[in-house]
Amino acid sequence: MQAQITERNLPAVAEQYPVSVWAPPPLIEPDPEKPALPLSHYLWILKRQRWKIVAFVGMSVVGTLIVSARLTPVYESTATVDVDRQTPT
């Protein structure tokens, strides 16, 4: 019984865990060998896809008009302007 009590009273063994230290990420520099695409390339892509873009915008406008025409108005207001012509300017 005495042996069990002394085993419990021994100091705990501290395990050594690696400590991680935060370090900022390394700076990434742009690759000088990779050339940027010129603006004319993007314009060429838009020109090549123009009919798809026009069709999408047109279908969106038509769809919006159809949905807007079918909705019932939620609020309608009127205004009256009272003009008194005898008031001096």
Side-chain angles (χ1 to χ4, degrees):
M1 175 99 176
Q2 188 69 339
Q4 293 175 352
I5 294 174
T6 57
E7 287 177 4
R8 289 185 198 166
N9 292 336
L10 292 176
V13 177
E15 296 181 20
Q16 297 295 327
Y17 293 105
V19 177
S20 63
V21 177
W22 182 83
L27 295 176
I28 300 173
E29 297 180 11
D31 190 9
E33 298 171 4
K34 187 176 181 182
L37 292 174
L39 181 63
S40 61
H41 179 71
Y42 293 109
L43 294 175
W44 173 75
I45 291 173
L46 286 174
K47 185 177 177 183
R48 195 177 73 182
Q49 302 293 331
R50 70 177 169 252
W51 293 115
K52 292 179 187 176
I53 296 169
V54 169
F56 175 76
V57 170
M59 293 299 286
S60 298
V61 169
V62 169
T64 303
L65 289 174
I66 291 171
V67 169
S68 297
R70 295 188 59 163
L71 289 175
T72 57
V74 176
Y75 177 77
E76 185 175 331
S77 67
T78 58
T80 304
V81 178
D82 187 17
V83 178
D84 187 8
R85 290 179 180 248
Q86 294 184 8
T87 304
T89 58

